[in-house]
């Protein structure tokens, strides 16, 4: 259904909000379960549309997937009914991760080409090259990737960039491969640790060295089922935290830990936010004036690229000149045009504020923000997930009533965002 969010700005957010399980972990854990014919149990799954797309993929492959109202996903793939799933009702970036598991179980595999947010070039060359090195023959078809492999073998894979998806793809493929795989310059996002924990629980032999960004995987002959809990969604945490600071409110998020939020907490504190670690969770609060800061996005443990959009809204409220240097995606500032229409002073250019990155001079990847600015309401169209959260937070602090369309993008990754913000005192309805 094509609905809108209608937001009357100006309310402070306060209260307690539970964050859901991570979208970018839960979906991968479902794919990991395909490596075994035994049942796995994945606790704390979020009710979001990206999970539904992964469920559809698994069911087409032959999995029985039962997700209970208390967020427990029972998933079993006794038999792979078909390893050929060239199409799904929607596109995201998960299906390519099923290549390894399907090749192990059937020797052939086909998955749809990738979708996901329009935030720049998002090639999958690192996934494909690594799987080819491990023995897969991969063919790009019109709308799919088709792969064959009699057997996958261990390899030494060195990534030029610590890609999250490519690291996950090699991990999944290497667990049952013949011999040892070493990944150098691996991504070390906490969601990957969640995946490694599941694979180890299934019987995989993995040594994950986060200091050297090296993963060593000794292939085993069989994996079994396991039980795993999805970690909290770090993007939800940042989104709610920024919404609290931007509205000069105070919110408490139970059952989260600072251990996986280092650069988020650091940035919020530098702006002048108050972050209190309590026994049961973390409280985020803040009051103007906020301080201007410079931020650079990067792979973990750096400041996540998925956090820059809410942060940009907060920086429109800070005193002075801030900057955000986006070094992960080459085109992730499209949403700033909307913030400018709402009264923000933001310019995006091709320069790098400090050390030149791989986008230097070629892509509009640095935002310069001058604050504080009074934002006013607007009609907004969401074109990608995290930009959608920037729109929502901007509308929460703007004067007047904003209407946001395209919220199916937001529903991909945030469960019932309107209801949960309303629970914190926001004037927001879905109509
Ligand atoms: C994951 O995307 C997340 N998606 C993204 O979250 C997140 O922004 C990103 O990791 C970085 O943290 C999921 O987990 C489903 P990458 P992924 O491979 O795996 C280049 C959100 O809003 N690259 O680390 O696709 C690529 O072009 C989303 O929830 C290659 O060049 O990210 C990009 O510049 C958006 N070749 C960079 O690496 C490749 O083969 C990072 O991509 C693969 C990647």
């Amino acid at each position: 259904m094509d609905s809108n969010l209608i937001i009357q700005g100006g309310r402070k957010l306060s209260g307690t909000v539970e964050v859901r399980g991570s979208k970018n972990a839960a979906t991968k854990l479902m794919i990991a379960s395909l490596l075994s014919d035994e049942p796995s149990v994945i606790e704390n799954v979020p009710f979001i549309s990206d999970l539904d797309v992964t469920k559809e993929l698994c069911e087409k492959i032959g999995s029985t997937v039962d997700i209970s109202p208390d967020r427990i996903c029972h998933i079993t793939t006794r038999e792979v009914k078909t390893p050929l799933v060239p199409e799904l009702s929607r596109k995201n970036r998960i299906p390519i991760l099923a290549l390894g598991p399907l090749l192990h179980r059937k020797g052939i595999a086909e998955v749809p080409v990738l979708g996901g947010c329009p935030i720049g070039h998002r090639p999958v060359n690192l996934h494909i090259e690594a799987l080819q090195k491990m023995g897969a023959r991969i063919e790009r078809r019109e709308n799919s990737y088709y792969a064959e492999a009699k057997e996958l073998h261990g390899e030494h894979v060195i990534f030029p960039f610590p890609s999250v998806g490519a690291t996950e793809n090699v991990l999944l493929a290497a667990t049952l491969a013949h011999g040892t795989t070493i990944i150098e310059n691996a991504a070390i996002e906490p969601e990957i640790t969640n995946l490694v924990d599941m694979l180890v629980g299934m019987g995989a032999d993995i040594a994950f060295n986060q200091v050297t960004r090296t993963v060593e995987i000794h292939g085993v002959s069989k994996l079994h089922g396991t039980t795993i809990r999805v970690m909290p969604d770090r993007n939800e945490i940042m989104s709610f935290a920024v919404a609290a600071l931007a509205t000069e409110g105070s919110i408490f998020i139970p059952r989260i830990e600072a251990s996986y939020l280092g650069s988020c907490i650091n940035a919020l504190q530098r702006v002048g936010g108050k972050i209190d670690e309590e026994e049961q969770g973390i409280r985020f609060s803040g009051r103007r004036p906020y301080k201007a800061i410079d931020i650079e996005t990067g792979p973990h443990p750096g400041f996540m690229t998925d956090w820059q959009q809410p942060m940009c809204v907060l920086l429109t409220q800070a005193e002075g000149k801030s900057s955000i240097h986006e070094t992960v995606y080459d085109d992730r500032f499209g949403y700033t045009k909307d913030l400018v229409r709402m009264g923000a002073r933001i310019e995006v250019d091709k320069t790098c504020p400090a050390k030149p990155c791989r986008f230097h001079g070629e892509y509009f990847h640095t935002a310069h923000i001058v604050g504080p600015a009074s934002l006013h309401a607007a009609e907004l169209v969401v074109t990608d997930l995290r930009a959608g959260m920037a729109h929502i937070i901007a509308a929460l602090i703007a004067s007047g009533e904003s209407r946001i369309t395209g919220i199916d993008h937001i529903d991909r990754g945030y469960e019932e965002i309107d209801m949960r913000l309303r629970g914190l005192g926001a004037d927001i309805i879905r109509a």
Side-chain angles (χ1 to χ4, degrees):
M1 193 181 60
D2 193 13
S3 44
N4 304 314
L5 290 178
I6 299 169
I7 300 176
Q8 186 72 45
R11 297 274 193 96
K12 285 188 198 306
L13 298 194
S14 68
T16 295
V17 64
E18 301 262 355
V19 295
R20 303 304 184 215
S22 158
K23 159 177 99 73
N24 292 342
T27 44
K28 324 288 175 67
L29 303 184
M30 290 174 78
I31 299 296
S33 77
L34 299 173
L35 287 161
S36 168
D37 59 5
E38 294 182 14
S40 280
V41 179
I42 306 171
E43 298 170 349
N44 196 34
V45 296
F47 297 141
I48 52 172
S49 63
D50 258 21
L51 200 94
D52 299 337
V53 181
T54 312
K55 179 170 182 271
E56 181 188 342
L57 170 71
C58 293
E59 285 176 340
K60 284 202 164 164
I61 288 167
S63 317
T64 313
V65 187
D66 176 56
I67 301 178
S68 63
D70 55 352
R71 307 177 178 284
I72 298 179
C73 171
H74 290 265
I75 181 163
T76 312
T77 316
R78 286 230 189 278
E79 295 267 352
V80 170
K81 270 195 320 224
T82 175
L84 307 178
V85 185
E87 234 179 285
L88 288 169
S89 62
R90 288 197 34 193
K91 289 196 193 311
N92 65 16
R93 302 192 68 74
I94 306 302
I96 198 164
L97 301 177
L99 284 177
L102 291 174
L103 287 175
H104 282 303
R105 292 194 64 171
K106 286 289 172 189
I108 56 170
E110 189 174 12
V111 295
V113 289
L114 274 60
C117 293
I119 51 184
H121 296 99
R122 301 184 74 184
V124 287
N125 57 315
L126 303 179
H127 300 237
I128 302 293
E129 285 161 18
L131 291 177
Q132 283 172 335
K133 249 183 132 180
M134 295 174 79
R137 192 182 68 75
I138 303 179
E139 203 179 287
R140 168 72 207 256
R141 296 190 169 168
E142 197 181 341
N143 295 310
S144 63
Y145 290 98
Y146 174 83
E148 286 180 1
K150 278 210 182 75
E151 177 188 88
L152 293 177
H153 54 80
E155 262 299 341
H156 193 156
V157 176
I158 305 173
F159 288 130
F161 182 88
S163 155
V164 170
T167 300
E168 292 164 340
N169 215 330
V170 176
L171 261 171
L172 289 160
T175 51
L176 289 174
H178 193 73
T180 299
T181 299
I182 293 178
I183 313 177
E184 280 188 54
N185 202 23
I188 54 166
E189 268 64 7
E191 292 75 15
I192 296 182
T193 307
N194 207 178
L195 175 62
V196 169
D197 286 347
M198 171 153 181
L199 292 170
V200 169
M202 294 173 77
D205 182 350
I206 303 174
F208 187 21
N209 187 329
Q210 304 194 15
V211 177
T212 58
R213 288 190 178 275
T214 309
V215 194
E216 189 169 327
I217 308 130
H218 299 280
V220 296
S221 56
K222 191 169 165 43
L223 293 175
H224 50 78
T226 192
T227 297
I228 183 87
R229 188 170 176 81
V230 181
M231 68 169 292
D233 193 306
R234 296 187 299 138
N235 292 316
E236 279 211 354
I237 296 169
M238 182 61 162
S239 303
F240 283 119
V242 166
L245 266 62
T247 61
E248 300 189 273
S250 169
I251 66 161
F252 179 68
I253 306 184
R255 286 177 286 284
I256 61 168
E257 289 162 28
S259 58
Y260 40 77
L261 294 171
S263 50
C264 151
I265 290 178
N266 177 277
L268 295 176
Q269 282 174 331
R270 281 198 293 138
V271 170
K274 198 162 169 300
I275 318 300
D276 297 303
E277 279 182 64
E278 298 177 12
E279 210 177 298
Q280 302 294 328
I282 304 180
R283 174 170 297 282
F284 300 89
S285 52
R287 238 174 235 306
R288 281 154 220 254
Y290 288 122
K291 296 189 267 287
I293 60 169
D294 298 313
I295 287 178
E296 180 170 286
T297 68
H300 187 77
F303 187 89
M304 249 180 130
T305 166
D306 304 338
W307 292 338
Q308 55 100 333
Q309 306 75 356
M311 196 66 197
C312 184
V313 180
L314 182 59
L315 293 179
T316 67
Q317 304 307 299
E319 314 253 334
K321 287 187 194 164
S322 298
S323 69
I324 303 178
H325 182 207
E326 170 60 64
T327 74
V328 180
Y329 293 110
D330 56 45
D331 185 17
R332 216 174 184 185
F333 282 119
Y335 69 92
T336 57
K337 290 195 184 75
D338 290 326
L339 299 184
V340 169
R341 272 202 298 123
M342 296 174 83
R345 288 163 62 200
I346 305 174
E347 279 178 15
V348 182
D349 69 25
K350 297 183 181 176
T351 63
C352 299
K355 213 171 88 200
C357 76
R358 63 199 166 124
F359 304 143
H360 180 65
E362 230 185 303
Y363 295 98
F364 286 92
H365 70 290
T366 299
H368 302 273
I369 307 138
V370 179
S374 304
L375 302 189
H376 50 78
E379 301 270 319
L380 301 161
V381 182
V382 177
T383 54
D384 81 75
L385 172 59
R386 307 299 165 200
M389 189 44 70
H391 288 125
I392 290 180
I393 298 171
L396 288 174
I397 57 173
S399 56
E401 185 179 282
S402 296
R403 177 182 290 267
I404 305 181
T405 56
I407 58 178
D408 51 316
H409 291 284
I410 298 172
D411 293 336
R412 279 186 47 209
Y414 295 90
E415 181 187 314
E416 294 188 315
I417 192 65
D418 45 319
M419 201 191 78
R420 292 156 75 208
L421 285 170
R422 211 160 42 244
L424 293 171
D427 186 342
I428 174 170
I429 54 165
R430 192 180 280 247

